[in-house]
Amino acid sequence: MSDQVPVPHGLPTDRDAGPFAPPSAITRLRDARPVSPMLFPDGHEGWIVTGYDEVRSLMADNRFSSRQDLGILHVPHEVPGMPEITEPSPQVPGMFIAMDPPDHTRLRRKLTGAFTVRRMKLLEEHITEIVERQLDRLARLTPPVDLVKEFALPVPSLVICELLGVPYADRESFQVNTARFMDRELPFGEKMAAYGAMSAFLAELVTGKRAEPGDDILSDLARDEDLGIDELTGIAFLLLLAGHETTANMLGIGTFALLEHPEQLAELRADPGLLPGAVEELMRYLSVVDVLYRYATEDLELGGETIPGGSTVLVSLLAANRDPRRFADPDALDIHREARGQLSFGHGVHACLGQMLARIEMRAGFAGLLRRFPDLRLAVPAGEVQLRTNMQIYGVHGLPVTWTATA
C-alpha cells in the first residue's frame, strides 16, 4: 500500500460534523475512492467500502464472510451484538449474524415464521396499544422529562419482551447489561462480564421454556429439539438486543432530528400519511448502525479494486446512505424523498430479520408522539443533548423534552 493513503481505523463512527452529519473525512473518502485501502491500529492492511453501489454489492456476495472465526477481526471492533475481541474467536452458538450459509441458513430459517410480514401486520394493532399506554404514562408526568427513558426505550422493550417471552420485570437488568456490552469505551473485561450476565440470564430462561413452553417465540424455538440450549441462548441474546436497541435509538434521535427540522415536523403533523416515507428517510439520514465487518474469503473485485483473499473489510452503511450517486442532496433530511433502498436494515442474506417489526414500531411511535404532544420541544439547547458517540449503535443517551401540560 505504499502508493495509497491509509484510512484511520474507527473513522466511520466519528461524527465530527454535527449530531446528524457523517464525518467530513468519510464523505471525502467516499467521493474520492468508494473502495479504499485501510490500515488498522495493529498494522494489518484491510479495506473500507463507503459507496452505495459497492456496499450493496458486497452485502449480496457471500464470498464476503460474516464469520468471526476466520480471522476477520484482529483489533477491537464495533459490530452490533458482537463482543470486542483482539484475535480470531470461535463462533458463538446461535449468533447467526456472524455465520455464513449453510449454518446461517439453518438458524435463520427457524425464525422466518415468527417475523413474516403477515404476522407483523397482525401485531400492528397491539403495538399501537403498547405505544398509547406508554404515551398515557408520559402525559401524566410533569415536564421536562427524558424521552428516551420514558418512551423511546420502553416501547420496543415492551414489544420484544412480549414477543420473546422475556419477563418485562427483568428489563432493568438486561438494559443495563446491554448498555455496558455496547459501550466502546468500557474495558474488555467489564464488557464480557455484562455479556456473561446476559447469557446466564437467557440460558436459564430458555431452559425453563424447554421444560414448560408458553405462547412466545422463544418457547416455539425451545420446542425444536434440533436446537441446543447454547444455540437457544445465542439466538435469544441476539433477538433481545437487536429487538430493542436499534428501534429505541431511532425513536430517540429521530425525534431529535424532527424537532430540529420544524417545517418538516409540521408537515408530518398535518399529514400523518407522510409517516411511512418519513421513517425510511430517517433511517437513511441517521444510520444508527453505521459500520459492519466482512472478510474476503478469496481474491475479489469490488468497485474496480482487487481485494485480496484474507482481507478485513469495513463496511460503512452511514457513508453508503449518504452517497450522492444514489440519493440527491443526501445530507438533507427530506420526508418527501423516496428513500426505499436505504441500507440501514442491511442487504442480502443478513438483511434485518425484524425490519418490518421495527418499521411498525417507529410508525406507531412517531405518529402517537406527534399527535399527543403537538407542542413537544427540546427542554435544553440542542448542543447539550448527549450523543451516543461511545456506543456501537448511535443515538442519544437522553432527550430532555417539554410541552404545555394540560389540566
Side-chain angles (χ1 to χ4, degrees):
M1 291 190 187
S2 59
D3 60 338
Q4 301 166 341
V5 178
V7 180
H9 174 66
L11 178 62
T13 67
D14 180 18
R15 304 196 187 209
D16 59 345
F20 314 123
S24 54
I26 200 71
T27 298
R28 290 193 300 269
L29 177 68
R30 181 199 58 225
D31 294 345
R33 192 174 183 181
V35 181
S36 297
M38 178 171 176
L39 189 64
F40 286 84
D42 66 348
H44 91 274
E45 300 173 347
W47 292 80
I48 181 168
V49 184
T50 52
Y52 178 91
D53 290 340
E54 293 79 10
V55 167
R56 187 177 171 92
S57 177
L58 179 152
M59 297 183 79
D61 189 339
N62 290 337
R63 295 175 299 170
F64 286 100
S65 175
S66 298
R67 287 172 54 182
Q68 287 193 355
D69 61 325
L70 295 181
I72 302 174
L73 303 172
H74 305 276
V75 294
H77 68 291
E78 299 87 23
V79 178
M82 292 289 99
E84 177 180 283
I85 54 175
T86 54
E87 59 184 20
S89 67
Q91 287 187 300
V92 178
M95 204 74 71
F96 57 88
I97 64 167
M99 296 178 181
D100 297 333
D103 296 326
H104 169 270
T105 309
R106 179 181 72 88
L107 293 177
R108 180 162 172 139
R109 186 175 291 144
K110 294 180 183 298
L111 287 161
T112 51
F115 290 95
T116 61
V117 172
R118 179 177 177 275
R119 186 166 182 177
M120 290 301 103
K121 286 186 174 179
L122 291 174
L123 281 170
E124 191 162 0
E125 183 176 346
H126 184 53
I127 290 170
T128 300
E129 291 172 357
I130 289 174
V131 167
E132 291 300 320
R133 287 201 302 268
Q134 200 61 37
L135 288 169
D136 289 341
R137 294 187 180 95
L138 183 62
R140 290 194 290 269
L141 299 176
T142 301
V145 302
D146 177 5
L147 193 74
V148 171
K149 178 182 177 183
E150 304 297 343
F151 181 71
L153 183 56
V155 166
S157 296
L158 280 161
V159 172
I160 199 64
C161 281
E162 189 168 316
L163 281 176
L164 296 183
V166 176
Y168 188 61
D170 293 320
R171 66 191 182 281
E172 185 173 351
S173 175
F174 77 68
Q175 286 171 356
V176 167
N177 281 317
T178 294
R180 292 177 64 79
F181 177 68
M182 302 287 278
D183 190 339
R184 290 181 174 128
E185 298 176 357
L186 203 66
F188 179 68
E190 295 182 36
K191 288 165 69 82
M192 287 301 94
Y195 174 72
M198 280 277 288
S199 295
F201 161 68
L202 291 170
E204 182 178 357
L205 182 69
V206 297
T207 299
K209 290 183 181 297
R210 173 148 285 176
E212 297 182 32
D215 185 20
D216 55 73
I217 290 175
L218 291 184
S219 290
D220 290 345
L221 292 170
R223 291 185 178 95
D224 188 340
E225 295 294 336
D226 182 48
L227 294 171
I229 293 298
D230 56 348
E231 287 185 313
L232 287 170
T233 301
I235 292 171
F237 178 87
L238 181 57
L239 294 180
L240 183 60
L241 184 148
H244 78 275
E245 272 285 334
T246 50
T247 306
N249 283 293
M250 274 302 303
L251 286 171
I253 197 169
T255 301
F256 183 22
L258 290 173
L259 292 175
E260 288 296 286
H261 293 79
E263 292 183 0
Q264 298 197 52
L265 178 61
E267 284 193 76
L268 275 179
R269 284 203 172 101
D271 184 2
L274 294 171
L275 199 54
V279 165
E280 293 301 312
E281 171 66 353
L282 286 166
M283 290 288 296
R284 181 203 69 83
Y285 182 68
L286 298 168
S287 299
V288 296
V289 179
D290 50 5
V291 292
L292 301 172
Y293 284 79
R294 292 293 186 265
Y295 177 77
T297 58
E298 58 186 78
D299 291 355
L300 295 166
E301 294 292 325
L302 183 67
E305 306 281 356
T306 299
I307 298 181
S311 296
T312 305
V313 183
L314 184 67
V315 182
S316 177
L317 301 181
L318 170 61
N321 276 336
R322 295 291 189 98
D323 190 341
R325 296 179 299 166
R326 175 61 177 82
F327 300 103
D329 194 14
D331 293 329
L333 176 66
D334 179 4
I335 61 172
H336 298 283
R337 185 194 305 274
E338 176 50 67
R340 288 281 182 178
Q342 54 84 15
L343 295 172
S344 293
F345 287 121
H347 181 63
V349 298
H350 287 285
C352 177
L353 185 65
Q355 59 181 282
M356 179 58 69
L357 175 63
R359 285 187 172 104
I360 291 170
E361 290 175 318
M362 283 187 278
R363 291 170 189 171
F366 287 126
L369 191 64
L370 300 186
R371 184 185 72 254
R372 295 283 295 273
F373 298 90
D375 65 340
L376 188 75
R377 57 195 183 274
L378 289 179
V380 298
E384 294 182 13
V385 174
Q386 188 179 5
L387 305 173
R388 285 169 54 101
T389 53
N390 64 317
M391 304 299 283
Q392 294 174 17
I393 296 178
Y394 189 60
V396 291
H397 283 291
L399 190 69
V401 296
T402 189
W403 61 89
T404 302
T406 56

